[in-house]
């Protein structure tokens, strides 16, 4: 399988072993490959195998992800997440990945490439999930991990998780977009490998969210795939995944993408609303801290994904996304606030047909958001007496059973 790096804006190509995130022309870089087309039956067979590379919902598709020697792959394994059907809507729960978010799918590929490139250290800017994932995979691969997070603006759980896996955490006085600019400069100047989703290998891994869900559905494509949009890595990956699945003959119909943003962090929605005539940047603010991003780096790839799939971009308010989160939580599934933009978006857009919502992060990723939205009648402090239990729960006292 021949692979190279190619610019999405001009025709320039670079060797796959070069460290490149953008082209000399400024365009974004993607992985391009030729070679034999795989039949989807291969993936069914691998699902039955016990080998970690086959068990991984990423490396199961390895010929279309990254051509490396199988024994060099850094896998937990990841993927293999559940697809729930609730109230007529499918929920693919990417929060069931090893570190609790979809980021592991891209990170296994970026870190495998980092090892192949023999880099010393890897870094990212993050709202908390990428940093946790980076830290876990760096620990597994024995690489130094440096993460740049907006100080005081990521959830306590994500910060703790990142520290637990052993990363060095630089808390940047600024927002995510400041941290992103700084990490790009730091990686350019200090010989550190950048594994944000501007890294094309991250995108190759995240494509498998779509491929795995298509496999889950027996390759019968849904009408809509709905997901949160922040830095636009997933939007880009999903467009590439669908383009390739169609080209490889795995599906005969292209689902439409619906990328959902929070109202306070909606630069992509603003651009969509003006027909992508201009690129917008905003000062981002939303309760969904994972997607508190005002200047998404993968903008151009994401525009082409929306266009290719005849997709849409919508925005939802914090109230709408938290109401949807409550409903997803009360289905017994649960997710973090950013992920709930999906169900809120389905409602806002009035979508019908076969719909798959991508839940990007685990319910425990942001416990502050849960506690802030819990009412006083649900959490009650009591004395350790049966009378207190009866008073608090309204339970009736039964007659003790005869001994
Ligand atoms: N959902 C969750 C839970 C996320 O953590 C992110 C991004 C997104 C959605 C948006 O995905 O950036 O591909 O459009 N989190 C990044 C991070 C920015 O640092 O963890 P995107």
């Amino acid at each position: 399988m021949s692979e190279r790096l190619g610019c999405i804006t001009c025709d320039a190509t670079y060797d796959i072993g070069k460290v490149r995130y953008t082209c000399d022309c400024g365009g974004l870089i993607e992985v391009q490959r030729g070679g034999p087309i795989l039949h989807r039956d291969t993936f069914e067979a691998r699902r039955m195998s016990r080998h970690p590379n086959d068990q991984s919902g990423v490396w199961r598709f390895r010929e279309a992800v990254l051509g490396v020697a199988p024994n060099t792959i850094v896998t937990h394994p990841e993927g293999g997440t559940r697809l729930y059907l609730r109230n007529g809507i499918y929920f693919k729960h990417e929060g069931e990945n090893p570190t609790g978010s979809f980021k592991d799918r891209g990170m296994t590929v970026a870190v495998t490439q980092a090892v192949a490139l023999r880099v010393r250290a890897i870094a990212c800017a993050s709202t908390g999930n990428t940093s946790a994932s980076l830290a876990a995979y760096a620990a597994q691969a024995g690489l130094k991990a440096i993460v740049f997070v907006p100080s005081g603006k990521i959830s306590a759980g994500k910060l703790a998780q990142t520290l637990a896996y052993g990363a060095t955490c630089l808390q940047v006085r600024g927002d995510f977009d400041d941290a992103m600019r700084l990490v790009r400069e730091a990686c350019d100047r200090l010989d550190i490998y950048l594994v944000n989703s501007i890294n094309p290998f991250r995108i190759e891994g995240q494509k498998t969210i779509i491929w795995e869900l298509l496999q889950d559905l027996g390759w019968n494509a849904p009408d809509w795939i709905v997901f949160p949009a922040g830095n636009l890595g997933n939007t880009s990956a999903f467009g590439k995944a669908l383009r390739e699945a169609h080209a490889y003959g795995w599906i005969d119909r292209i689902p439409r993408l619906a990328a959902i943003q929070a109202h306070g962090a909606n630069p992509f929605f603003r651009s969509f609303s003006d027909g992508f005539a201009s690129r917008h940047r905003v000062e981002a603010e939303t309760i969904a801290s994972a997607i508190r991003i005002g200047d998404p780096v993968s903008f151009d790839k994401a525009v082409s994904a929306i266009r290719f799939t005849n997709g849409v971009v919508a925005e939802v308010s914090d109230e709408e996304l938290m109401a949807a989160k409550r409903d997803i939580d009360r289905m017994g599934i649960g997710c973090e606030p950013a992920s709930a933009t999906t169900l809120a978006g389905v409602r806002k857009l009035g979508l019908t047909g076969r719909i798959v919502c991508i839940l990007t992060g685990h319910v425990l990723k942001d416990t502050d958001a849960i506690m802030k939205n819990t009412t006083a009648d649900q959490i009650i402090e009591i004395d350790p007496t049966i009378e207190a239990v009866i008073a608090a729960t309204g339970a009736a006292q039964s007659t003790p059973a005869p001994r």
Side-chain angles (χ1 to χ4, degrees), residues 49-103:
S49 151
R50 290 188 196 282
H51 193 285
N53 291 352
D54 294 335
Q55 290 264 303
S56 165
V58 174
W59 298 100
R60 188 192 309 150
F61 304 97
R62 52 190 169 269
E63 290 83 353
V65 169
L66 182 64
V68 289
N71 62 348
T72 66
I73 288 173
V74 183
T75 178
H76 265 66
E78 48 294 303
T81 57
R82 273 171 283 249
L83 183 68
Y84 299 93
L85 180 59
R86 295 287 185 277
N87 304 331
I89 298 176
Y90 289 100
F91 294 90
K92 176 85 170 151
H93 208 327
E94 288 299 303
E96 295 176 354
N97 271 291
T99 76
S101 84
F102 72 93
K103 304 289 182 180

Side-chain angles (χ1 to χ4, degrees), residues 139-359:
Q140 190 180 357
L143 298 174
K144 183 167 174 52
I146 307 163
V147 307
F148 293 61
V149 301
S151 188
K153 291 184 178 149
I154 76 170
S155 85
K158 293 175 186 178
L159 178 61
Q161 191 185 10
T162 303
L163 296 171
Y165 297 132
T168 298
C169 199
L170 304 181
Q171 304 210 71
V172 181
R173 288 186 205 99
D175 60 15
F176 171 83
D177 303 294
D178 294 322
M180 188 71 230
R181 275 188 290 276
L182 185 59
V183 76
R184 287 181 75 169
E185 186 183 346
C187 287
D188 281 349
R189 300 196 23 193
L190 308 177
D191 197 24
I192 301 170
Y193 191 53
L194 181 63
V195 296
N196 273 103
S197 55
I198 197 168
N199 182 313
F201 297 98
R202 279 274 311 276
I203 301 296
E204 292 307 285
Q206 286 172 214
K207 291 186 310 192
T208 65
I209 299 171
I210 298 298
W211 294 344
E212 188 175 271
L213 89 80
L214 291 170
Q215 187 177 7
D216 291 338
L217 294 173
W219 302 100
N220 181 11
D223 298 302
W224 289 98
I225 298 172
V226 189
F227 54 95
N231 215 12
L232 303 180
N234 263 349
T235 314
S236 308
F238 292 3
K240 193 167 191 280
L242 291 171
R243 200 179 288 126
E244 292 176 3
H246 193 252
Y248 294 153
W250 301 344
I251 50 171
D252 48 23
R253 211 163 57 80
I254 309 285
R256 297 177 71 184
L257 294 180
I260 317 295
Q261 296 211 289
H263 170 72
N266 65 354
F268 194 47
F269 170 72
R270 290 187 192 203
S271 294
F272 174 76
S273 302
D274 67 21
F276 293 127
S278 53
R279 179 171 176 170
H280 290 258
R281 291 172 178 84
V282 304
E283 199 128 305
E285 189 45 81
T286 164
I287 188 168
S289 60
I291 51 173
R292 203 183 278 148
I293 297 171
D295 186 14
V297 293
S298 294
F299 179 79
D300 291 335
K301 286 182 179 176
V303 170
S304 110
I306 295 297
R307 286 197 172 129
F308 173 71
T309 62
N310 188 25
V312 297
V313 186
E315 64 168 357
V316 294
S317 67
D318 279 5
E319 293 70 34
E320 288 166 328
L321 73 89
M322 286 308 285
K325 171 175 155 57
R326 191 180 163 85
D327 293 342
I328 294 166
D329 291 351
R330 296 292 166 103
M331 289 174 198
I333 297 177
C335 65
E336 66 166 285
S339 310
T341 56
T342 52
L343 182 59
V346 169
R347 290 171 175 166
K348 186 106 182 210
L349 291 164
L351 299 185
T352 55
R354 289 173 78 236
I355 300 166
V356 182
C357 291
I358 310 295
L359 301 180

Side-chain angles (χ1 to χ4, degrees), residues 5-17:
L5 298 175
C7 175
I8 66 157
T9 306
C10 73
D11 287 338
T13 60
Y14 304 90
D15 187 87
I16 195 78

